[in-house]
Amino acid sequence: MKRTTDPFEIDFRQKFELRDKVIVITGGCGLIGRAFCEALAQFGATVVVADIEVAQPEEFARLLEKKHQRPMLGFALDVIKKTNIIELKESILKKFGRIDGLVNGHQNKTHLKFEPFEQVSEENWDTVVEVNLKGTFLMCQIIGSFMAEQGHGSIVNIPSTYSVVAPNQNLYKGTSLGCPAAYSSSKGAIDSLSRYLASYWGAKGVRVNMITPHGVWNHHEEQFEKNFSNFSPLQRQSYNHEVAGALVYLMSDASSYVTGDNLLVEGGWTVW
Ligand SMILES: NC(=O)c1ccc[n+]([C@@H]2O[C@H](COP(=O)([O-])OP(=O)(O)OC[C@H]3O[C@@H](n4cnc5c(N)ncnc54)[C@H](O)[C@@H]3O)[C@@H](O)[C@H]2O)c1
C-alpha cells in the first residue's frame, strides 16, 4: 500500500477498478446475483457465474460475455458438494489462471416460506442450514484457502437483516409470506463464520466482509409492499441493483482497509 498522507498522489477512481480481477459468484443467476454479476462486469471484472444446473449459469455467463465482449465462465454446481467446488476452482484456474474474489450469494429458503415454526421438519431445517451455512463454509474453504495461499483476495458473504434483528411478525400480516427460523439461524452463523475468517485470514491478505440486503423487490404481494413501507425509514422496498454498489466497493481496492464488516443495505430497517 502506498505510504503517503498526500491525497493528490492517489487516483480514487482507480481504486474502484476491477479490471483483471476474476470473481466467483455463487447464486449468480438469482435476483441479487444477476445484479452482482453485471455490476462487477461493468467495473471490468471477469465474472464466474456459479449456480445450480437448472438456473443455467452457462447461459447467463454467455449473455455477460456478449454484452461485455470478453470471456466469462458459467459453472453448474451444488455448493454442498465439495467435489463440485474443487472442480469449479480447477476450471477457473485453467481458463483464467487466477481467482481474486468470492461472493457467496446462494440461498435456500423458499420451500419453507409458509411453514410455521411448530411444523418445521428436521429434514427441511437441515436442508436450509446445509445449503446456506455449509455451502458458504465449503466455498470459503476451497476458494478462500486458495486466495489465502496466493496472499490476496476478497470474500463477501451474505447474512440477512434477520440475523441482525428478528423478523417483525407484523410485516407478514395479511400476506401469505413469512421468514423461517432456519433461515435466520443459518444466516446468523454466516455472520459468525465471516467474522472468524476475517480474523483468521487477515494476515494472509484476504479480507472477509458481508453485505446484508433487505426486502429486495421481486413482484411481492401488494399488502406486503404496503406493510414493508410502513416499517421502513426509507418507506419502500429495495431493488437488486441497489445492493450491487456495496459489492463493487467491497471487491475493489476502495475497501482495502475494511474487513469483518457487515455492510447493511437495508434502508435503515434496523436503525429504530
Ligand atoms: N432478496 C432479499 O430481499 C434478501 C434479503 C436479505 C438477504 N438476502 C440474501 O441475498 C442472497 C441472494 O438473494 P436472492 O434474493 O437473490 O435469492 P434468489 O433465491 O433469487 O437466488 C439464490 C440463488 O442461489 C441458487 N442456489 C440455491 N441452492 C443452491 C445450491 N445448492 N448451490 C448453488 N446455488 C444454489 C439459486 O439457484 C438461485 O439462483 C441470498 O443469500 C439471500 O439469503 C436476500
Side-chain angles (χ1 to χ4, degrees):
M1 196 50 60
K2 199 171 176 69
R3 203 168 162 81
T4 181
T5 57
D6 180 2
F8 291 143
E9 286 182 25
I10 304 296
D11 183 341
F12 287 97
R13 271 178 191 275
Q14 179 64 28
K15 281 179 178 278
F16 287 90
E17 184 57 61
L18 296 176
R19 196 165 301 147
D20 298 330
K21 288 193 197 286
V22 175
I23 301 173
V24 194
I25 305 181
T26 65
C29 300
L31 175 68
I32 298 171
R34 290 195 304 275
F36 278 174
C37 291
E38 171 61 7
L40 295 183
Q42 285 190 20
F43 277 79
T46 297
V47 174
V48 178
V49 186
D51 209 310
I52 50 177
E53 188 138 28
V54 290
Q56 300 185 303
E58 294 95 341
E59 184 53 36
F60 188 55
R62 269 194 290 276
L63 291 176
L64 290 168
E65 276 182 342
K66 202 169 161 206
K67 179 166 180 213
H68 297 280
Q69 291 293 301
R70 54 178 195 278
M72 308 283 178
L73 177 67
F75 194 93
L77 92 171
D78 184 336
V79 290
I80 63 172
K81 294 194 177 132
K82 194 168 180 171
T83 50
N84 282 188
I85 304 173
I86 293 169
E87 282 161 20
L88 166 71
K89 183 185 91 175
E90 283 162 3
S91 299
I92 301 169
L93 292 176
K94 192 164 166 225
K95 187 161 182 182
F96 302 118
R98 58 186 294 164
I99 307 174
D100 306 280
L102 164 66
V103 185
N104 280 303
H106 60 271
Q107 72 154 347
N108 179 297
K109 83 160 173 184
T110 37
H111 71 289
L112 278 181
K113 244 181 184 168
F114 318 109
E115 214 173 20
F117 181 76
E118 291 82 353
Q119 282 145 34
V120 175
S121 67
E122 286 181 55
E123 195 192 340
N124 281 345
W125 177 278
D126 289 346
T127 306
V128 173
V129 174
E130 206 170 29
V131 173
N132 291 358
L133 178 57
K134 187 177 171 190
T136 300
F137 151 63
L138 287 175
M139 287 298 301
C140 288
Q141 189 182 50
I142 307 299
I143 306 291
S145 300
F146 170 82
M147 295 194 293
E149 207 171 301
Q150 81 183 354
H152 78 269
S154 174
I155 297 177
V156 166
N157 294 328
I158 316 283
S160 163
T161 312
Y162 298 144
S163 53
V164 180
V165 294
N168 179 344
Q169 300 299 332
N170 293 324
L171 174 63
Y172 306 111
K173 271 196 180 145
T175 79
S176 59
L177 303 173
C179 178
Y183 179 78
S184 297
S185 308
S186 65
K187 293 294 186 171
I190 287 172
D191 184 311
S192 312
L193 173 66
S194 306
R195 289 173 206 273
Y196 180 97
L197 290 177
S199 149
Y200 187 71
W201 278 332
K204 303 260 178 159
V206 176
R207 297 184 292 109
V208 185
N209 290 291
M210 295 163 267
I211 294 175
T212 290
H214 188 51
V216 179
W217 181 77
N218 196 11
H219 309 277
H220 285 79
E221 293 169 25
E222 209 181 317
Q223 187 61 48
F224 179 83
E225 224 179 320
K226 246 187 218 161
N227 293 352
F228 192 98
S229 302
N230 286 337
F231 293 124
S232 162
L234 291 187
Q235 300 190 343
R236 65 170 176 87
Q237 291 192 251
S238 60
Y239 295 98
N240 58 355
H241 54 85
E242 293 185 290
V243 190
L247 185 66
V248 172
Y249 168 66
L250 289 174
M251 279 292 131
S252 72
D253 294 344
S255 61
S256 51
Y257 200 58
V258 181
T259 197
D261 193 35
N262 184 4
L263 211 166
L264 305 180
V265 187
E266 38 75 292
W269 189 268
T270 62
V271 87
W272 58 12

